[in-house]
Amino acid sequence: MSVYITRENKVLIQGMTGQEGSYWTRHMRDLGTNVVFGVTPGKEGQDVDGVPVFHSIVNGIKAFEADTAMLFVPPKFTKDAVFEALDAGIKKIVTVAEGVPLQEMLQIRKAALSCGAMVLGGNTSGVISAGEAMLGMFPYWIDRVYKPGTIGVMTRSGSLTNEVTAEVVKAGFGLSTLIGVGGDQVPFTRFVEVLPLYQADPGTKAVVMVGELGGSMEEEVAEAIAAGFFTKPLVAFIGGRTAPEGKRMGHAGAIAGGGRGTAKGKVELLEKAGAGVAKRPSEVGPLLRQALGT
Amino acid sequence: MKLFEYQAKEAFAAAGIPVPKSRLVTDPAQARAAADELGGHCVVKAQVLTGGRGKAGLIKLAGSAAEAEALSASLLGETRQIITRLLIEEAVDFKREVYLSITVDAVAGKALIMASADGGVDIEHLAATAPEKIARVLVDLDQGLQAFQIKNVVFALGLAGGETGKQAAAVVKNLYAVFRKHDAELAEINPLFVTADGSVVAGDGKLIIDDNSLSRQAGYELTREHFDSDTEFEAAQDGIPYLQFDGDISLMCAGAGLTTTVFDLINYEGGSVANYLEFGGPNYRRAKRAMELCLKNDCKVLLVVTFGTIARADVMAEGVVEAMNELKPRVPIITCIRGTNEEEATATLRKAGLEPMFDTEEAVRKAVALCAGGKS
């Protein structure tokens, strides 16, 4: 089982004819993603491996139903592209762009909340339901990382996610759905907003959260567990425990200051709420086994 | 990108926010002339980007032009940090100090105005000890700042009513305009002075421009003063994330989260980091430049850890080998390169005489052990 993206979803791709867009469209379809059409202004009538291209979403949805949008759009056009998808009534939108202007990130998040849509990103690899479908850019062909199974993963990272997920698989588990919320200062969807999907999914037995210093997303998850809002086992890995305060180490969102957003504070709250907290990636597997009694 | 106080105040003044009269100077003679113009009694303020300037002795009150000249000479002669510019500012006779800032609220997806009648203090300290003294007003960027919100902020500042209230309302409105126009991550006035005659004037100015918006904010450039070291500045000009430390292991890793994790693992193992360098994302074809930067350090080991998708393992392995052949580093290189096309990567590394590793934690332990061996 999986959440957010399955083979039932009808996916439109904005920026499909670009180099990155066409390359990853092929991979998404190879895995099983149902891509219905692409959008690139000025290229209506063309196709990418038989998938038709339209000038706009409005034109595309006259011919095909779509419920999900995948964006391969540069950061400075991301706000417009997300708004175009929201305007067309699309409720699931994934954007991989890194470098969206900060104040436009606020506008995107606010608009998504107003529309009741779940926009994932920016600065993310996307979302993958292992063995089934994906939106974004994942090396799903590497079995020791993207094996199907029952562990939901939510993450702010890319390479580190491969690292941690490999440990999940090494411990004998596999993935239900991996959701990348992205490494930016203003993630369009927050960890705590992803949790209800995993809570409701019978195919997800436990969740691994790959967090890091900065922001308050991990604290919100700890509060959700403490309040009984999320009841499945959760194992967290928090990067940046030894990062010096005040320096921006890693992602744009990864900076702690004035005692807030520290890795230490996140670890303490999560442990207090009853989550397993791994100090090293290799501890994630054993903690999962412990939590699930396997 | 954090702006200097004088740049922030220029932006404030252009938006109609009252700021004290001032002159920007670069030598003591200019400082004397500026102080003369301002009437002798003035404040000499070092233009540096670090916080806590007052406590650090980088802001001094001068009673005369001669004193301003002497203070300027001593500040410009500072050896602890680079000081090239001073702001000579008229001394403001204030009776109150309040706090006003605008930043982003990631949860709400809105701008966040923070206001407090207690100004001139460290706001993070105030937030931790007396949060009820800070009013928070959220502004929807698409709706814009509303009249009731301005009113609520002015009440929170304790400045409602009369001419002072009007001026404070204008400052709130204009600071919001600065925040929007300059794509700010933070626009802050701390303290905002209220003078004896009831006028308001910005005592200090802080403006941080969002890095992702710099391309559309003309007129600001990163200088050496924005960085703690020469190599950090050099790396930034090349768009390569780099942080300077003073330990033994030079990190040349890919992926922001993974590099941070390797940094942690080294510290857990009792090792020390010479530098943090991340050559993933758009930089994954630039191994040579990355290695050049790493080798500027007096490090004992170079540790390469990657697990990339788009940042292909085979490309990065080839890059590392090419860089090795050209730069001929004298320190050992440990590689743990995985991800897309890792089989080709492994073959490339073996052919070059390296012994590729595949487990991050083992690679870290080996690097730490090599450093310890070098010491004995």
Side-chain angles (χ1 to χ4, degrees):
Chain A
M1 285 289 286
S2 44
V3 301
Y4 201 90
I5 178 70
T6 71
R7 289 187 179 174
E8 307 302 312
N9 289 110
K10 300 179 179 74
V11 179
L12 71 90
I13 298 185
Q14 290 164 272
M16 186 172 71
T17 56
Q19 197 186 349
E20 217 170 52
S22 56
Y23 179 81
W24 287 105
T25 296
R26 261 168 225 132
H27 276 305
M28 284 189 273
R29 296 180 74 207
D30 280 350
L31 182 61
T33 314
N34 178 17
V35 177
V36 289
F37 66 90
V39 174
T40 303
K43 299 205 170 167
E44 188 156 306
Q46 298 185 7
D47 71 280
V48 170
D49 300 331
V51 178
V53 178
F54 293 87
H55 289 324
S56 62
I57 297 182
V58 169
N59 284 4
I61 53 175
K62 281 180 195 152
F64 299 94
E65 261 182 62
D67 55 32
T68 303
M70 174 72 225
L71 275 65
F72 290 100
V73 171
K76 68 174 174 180
F77 303 122
T78 295
K79 186 182 80 168
D80 190 59
V82 171
F83 281 16
E84 184 183 359
L86 291 173
D87 180 66
I90 306 290
K91 301 292 185 201
K92 292 178 181 181
I93 302 168
V94 177
T95 172
V96 293
E98 177 175 2
V100 176
L102 181 65
Q103 294 193 6
E104 293 184 8
M105 291 184 198
L106 294 178
Q107 291 171 301
I108 293 170
R109 163 130 177 107
K110 173 61 189 17
L113 288 172
S114 300
C115 296
M118 189 177 261
V119 183
L120 296 176
N123 190 8
T124 175
S125 306
V127 47
I128 178 168
S129 294
E132 186 175 355
M134 74 170 181
L135 301 167
M137 312 171 288
F138 291 95
Y140 60 89
W141 52 86
I142 305 180
D143 291 341
R144 69 185 164 85
V145 185
Y146 291 98
K147 190 180 148 203
T150 58
I151 308 299
V153 177
M154 51 184 193
T155 177
R156 289 166 72 176
S157 230
S159 297
L160 176 59
T161 307
N162 291 336
E163 178 85 31
V164 171
T165 306
E167 296 292 340
V168 171
V169 173
K170 201 155 100 183
F173 301 101
L175 306 186
S176 57
T177 301
L178 182 151
I179 293 182
V181 300
D184 280 336
Q185 213 174 331
V186 183
F188 304 143
T189 296
R190 305 177 68 79
F191 279 152
V192 76
E193 294 160 340
V194 170
L195 283 181
L197 305 184
Y198 292 129
Q199 178 74 23
D201 176 35
T204 297
K205 303 290 180 211
V207 167
V208 169
M209 170 169 71
V210 184
E212 61 189 9
L213 77 158
S216 60
M217 284 203 293
E218 295 80 3
E219 288 88 334
E220 290 156 20
V221 167
E223 284 163 9
I225 297 170
F229 169 74
F230 183 73
T231 56
K232 294 182 181 180
L234 185 139
V235 172
F237 173 80
I238 308 292
R241 289 207 207 193
T242 63
E245 193 166 307
K247 287 227 178 200
R248 188 168 283 179
M249 179 178 279
H251 295 109
I255 183 167
R260 291 175 303 175
T262 64
K264 185 167 170 273
K266 290 171 193 289
V267 168
E268 282 170 9
L269 277 180
L270 285 162
E271 281 178 343
K272 207 175 147 202
V277 183
K279 196 174 172 191
R280 304 154 194 266
S282 61
E283 291 169 12
V284 169
L287 280 169
L288 269 180
R289 277 208 295 265
Q290 200 183 320
L292 291 168
T294 56
Chain B
M1 177 183 180
K2 192 172 175 181
L3 300 188
F4 292 99
E5 178 195 3
Y6 77 90
Q7 293 174 309
K9 282 185 168 166
E10 278 169 14
F12 288 179
I17 297 171
V19 298
K21 279 189 212 124
S22 68
R23 302 282 180 275
L24 186 69
V25 304
T26 53
D27 68 52
Q30 286 175 4
R32 184 183 187 120
D36 253 337
E37 270 183 71
L38 297 169
H41 187 44
C42 63
V43 190
V44 180
K45 303 168 106 176
Q47 297 301 291
V48 295
L49 296 166
T50 44
R53 286 183 300 166
K55 276 183 203 154
L58 299 175
I59 295 179
K60 306 268 194 193
L61 195 64
S64 67
E67 198 183 342
E69 182 177 11
L71 288 169
S72 297
S74 98
L75 282 171
L76 290 167
E78 266 291 339
T79 48
R80 285 172 301 164
Q81 73 189 102
I82 313 166
I83 300 175
T84 57
R85 301 181 202 88
L86 304 170
L87 193 66
I88 311 296
E89 199 170 73
E90 65 173 345
V92 176
D93 183 18
F94 61 91
K95 59 167 189 184
R96 275 191 62 199
E97 299 175 284
V98 297
Y99 175 92
L100 179 65
S101 74
I102 309 179
T103 180
V104 298
D105 187 293
V107 176
K110 295 180 179 180
L112 171 65
I113 303 181
M114 291 200 278
S116 177
D118 290 7
V121 297
D122 176 7
I123 197 67
E124 282 171 347
H125 179 72
L126 190 65
T129 53
E132 73 284 356
K133 290 189 171 174
I134 303 172
R136 294 161 182 269
V137 173
L138 290 165
V139 183
D140 185 319
L141 297 187
D142 293 310
Q143 290 174 358
L145 182 65
Q146 304 294 310
F148 80 92
Q149 294 169 321
I150 298 176
K151 203 169 57 190
N152 287 350
V153 172
V154 174
F155 275 120
L157 292 171
L159 300 179
E163 182 56 28
T164 305
K166 262 188 224 166
Q167 287 189 20
V171 168
V172 175
K173 186 168 164 254
N174 293 334
L175 190 65
Y176 182 76
V178 168
F179 174 80
R180 291 289 283 139
K181 183 182 171 209
H182 290 275
D183 285 301
E185 189 177 323
L186 173 71
E188 181 186 75
I189 305 176
N190 185 30
L192 177 65
F193 290 136
V194 182
T195 64
D197 69 357
S199 332
V200 296
V201 55
D204 196 358
K206 202 188 225 180
L207 191 55
I208 302 177
I209 297 179
D210 162 41
D211 289 339
N212 291 347
S213 305
L214 276 177
S215 61
R216 62 187 189 195
Q217 289 293 335
Y220 301 114
E221 62 172 339
L222 286 171
T223 60
R224 170 66 182 80
E225 291 153 295
H226 288 88
F227 300 90
D228 293 337
S229 75
D230 292 337
T231 315
E232 285 179 357
F233 180 39
E234 206 181 322
Q237 285 169 310
D238 281 342
I240 297 177
Y242 180 98
L243 292 173
Q244 188 66 58
F245 297 95
D246 58 2
D248 296 333
I249 302 172
S250 175
L251 298 188
M252 181 174 149
C253 301
L258 183 57
T259 311
T260 302
T261 297
V262 172
F263 182 91
D264 283 342
L265 291 169
I266 288 171
N267 285 318
Y268 295 161
E269 295 295 336
S272 61
V273 174
N275 71 279
Y276 170 109
L277 180 145
E278 202 255 300
F279 79 119
N283 294 315
Y284 81 94
R285 294 178 183 275
R286 300 172 70 195
K288 189 185 154 204
R289 185 65 187 126
M291 197 182 284
E292 264 172 14
L293 291 165
C294 287
L295 294 176
K296 285 175 184 284
N297 290 290
D298 183 23
C299 59
K300 291 182 180 160
V301 179
L302 188 65
L303 177 59
V304 184
V305 180
T306 77
F307 207 143
T309 302
I310 306 161
R312 278 161 43 193
D314 56 332
V315 172
M316 290 199 283
E318 277 168 26
V320 167
V321 170
E322 274 171 31
M324 258 172 59
N325 291 339
E326 285 188 42
L327 304 171
K328 302 190 172 33
R330 272 172 294 182
V331 296
I333 297 180
I334 297 171
T335 64
C336 187
I337 298 180
R338 297 141 308 158
T340 305
N341 300 342
E342 65 185 26
E343 295 78 10
E344 291 90 324
T346 303
T348 302
L349 296 168
R350 288 217 167 102
K351 208 173 147 196
L354 290 167
E355 292 169 37
M357 299 182 74
F358 302 96
D359 183 290
T360 301
E361 292 172 37
E362 277 175 27
V364 166
R365 279 193 289 273
K366 189 173 171 191
V368 173
L370 273 177
C371 292
K375 269 175 193 159
S376 61

